[in-house]
Amino acid sequence: MKDIDTLRRTRNIEGLIAALTDPDEIVRLTAAEALGAVGDERAIEPLARLKFSDPDASVRRAASLAHTQVSARLADKRTIEGMHLKP
């Protein structure tokens, strides 16, 4: 399944994560960008691996940016949840 836009629109996180191992670097790069935009915490580990191991520098950069985006979104979520817990 290489239609990254469809995977992103339907929030198919598992499909996007699977696309990170596609032989085509454009598919991997686009999947990493989509995971960053979606911000699902399941993407943290696969993006962390990709940002250090992909043979293509552009894919590594995209994975690094996406990893940062997802991490920031999770930190924001935890901050907001913490605010709701305070009396």
Side-chain angles (χ1 to χ4, degrees):
M1 191 177 242
K2 293 187 180 183
D3 189 353
I4 302 302
D5 284 336
T6 300
L7 293 172
R8 181 186 50 76
R9 279 194 312 274
T10 60
R11 300 181 75 77
N12 183 339
I13 305 305
E14 297 305 320
L16 289 170
I17 290 171
L20 295 176
T21 62
D22 194 275
D24 185 340
E25 65 271 357
I26 298 300
V27 172
R28 295 192 310 275
L29 185 143
T30 307
E33 291 174 340
L35 285 165
V38 172
D40 190 286
E41 67 184 273
R42 291 174 285 177
I44 289 285
E45 288 302 319
L47 288 170
R49 283 192 303 272
L50 192 66
K51 74 180 187 176
F52 293 114
S53 67
D54 198 273
D56 186 273
S58 296
V59 174
R60 291 192 306 271
R61 279 192 298 274
S64 182
L65 177 59
H67 186 263
T68 300
Q69 290 171 317
V70 175
S71 296
R73 184 169 286 155
L74 290 175
D76 289 346
K77 179 181 173 186
R78 289 184 183 124
T79 299
I80 291 168
E81 288 173 352
M83 293 171 141
H84 291 294
L85 295 176
K86 292 182 181 178

